[in-house]
């Protein structure tokens, strides 16, 4: 029985990865590396009087678009934080009453990295409150 160099290379790669205890699998002859963990950020509309919540979130390269979240419902986005988590997603929030625009960094790696990977926020008229993760619940003021 003869083993081709291509097959031998795949076997060697698999043995190296297994020796490092990495979770990999082989599908259709291709090495399938596990996807990097994702961070999920959920914002729940907790405004009084059944008001709709307008949300627009961005990071330095992505605009997630304007979202309208009805009273009592939520909106979620997720992202790959990479090996060195330096993520910063900043959002603007508005609702009918008052007409003001409020700002808050909904995910800041310095504040939230290692604290929550499923970060859920209740959005109130007085400010956002993180209701999941270490130290939750924790409320914050709107940014100036």
């Amino acid at each position: 029985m003869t083993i081709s160099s291509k097959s031998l290379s795949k076997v060697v790669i698999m043995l190296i990865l297994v020796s490092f205890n990495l979770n990999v699998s082989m599908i259709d002859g291709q090495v399938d590396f596990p996807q990097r963990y994702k961070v999920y950020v959920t914002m729940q509309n907790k405004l009084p009087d059944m008001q709709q919540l307008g949300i627009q979130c961005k990071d330095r390269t992505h605009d997630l678009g304007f979202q309208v979240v009805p009273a009592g419902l939520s909106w979620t986005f997720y992202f790959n934080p990479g090996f060195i988590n330096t993520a910063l997603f900043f959002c603007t929030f508005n609702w009918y009453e008052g007409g003001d625009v409020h700002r808050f960094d909904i995910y800041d790696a310095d504040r939230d990295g290692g604290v929550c990977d499923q970060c859920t926020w209740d959005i109130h008229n007085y400010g956002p409150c993180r209701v999941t993760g270490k130290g939750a619940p924790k409320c914050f003021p709107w940014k100036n």
Side-chain angles (χ1 to χ4, degrees):
M1 181 168 141
T2 310
I3 298 177
S4 71
S5 63
K6 186 175 181 180
S7 295
L8 183 59
S9 296
K10 288 181 182 179
V11 170
V12 169
I13 290 171
M14 288 299 292
L15 288 173
I16 291 169
L17 292 173
V18 169
S19 70
F20 285 109
N21 292 324
L22 295 176
N23 182 18
V24 298
S25 61
M26 199 99 154
I27 300 173
D28 297 325
Q30 300 294 318
V31 176
D32 182 33
F33 293 93
Q35 196 172 30
R36 178 76 173 121
Y37 193 73
K38 290 186 175 134
V39 173
Y40 294 82
V41 177
T42 299
M43 290 161 274
Q44 302 178 131
N45 181 350
K46 298 292 185 174
L47 295 174
D49 302 324
M50 303 300 288
Q51 296 179 73
Q52 288 190 356
L53 174 65
I55 304 172
Q56 183 154 15
C57 296
K58 302 176 182 182
D59 72 357
R60 67 176 175 240
T61 57
H62 303 95
D63 182 342
L64 303 180
F66 184 76
Q67 311 296 321
V68 176
V69 181
L73 297 181
S74 62
W75 176 67
T76 298
F77 70 91
Y78 61 90
F79 64 94
N80 180 339
F83 290 109
I84 300 173
N85 186 359
T86 59
L88 175 65
F89 280 89
F90 45 95
C91 301
T92 57
F93 300 86
N94 63 1
W95 49 92
Y96 179 71
E97 189 175 311
D100 293 333
V101 174
H102 303 279
R103 291 174 176 76
F104 186 72
D105 296 338
I106 204 68
Y107 186 88
D108 182 341
D110 291 338
R111 181 193 63 218
D112 303 313
V115 173
C116 59
D117 50 16
Q118 293 186 4
C119 303
T120 301
W121 293 86
D122 284 353
I123 307 301
H124 300 277
N125 56 349
Y126 55 82
C129 296
R130 189 178 58 225
V131 295
T132 59
K134 297 175 188 168
K138 185 168 183 175
C139 295
F140 298 85
W142 295 113
K143 288 181 79 173
N144 293 332

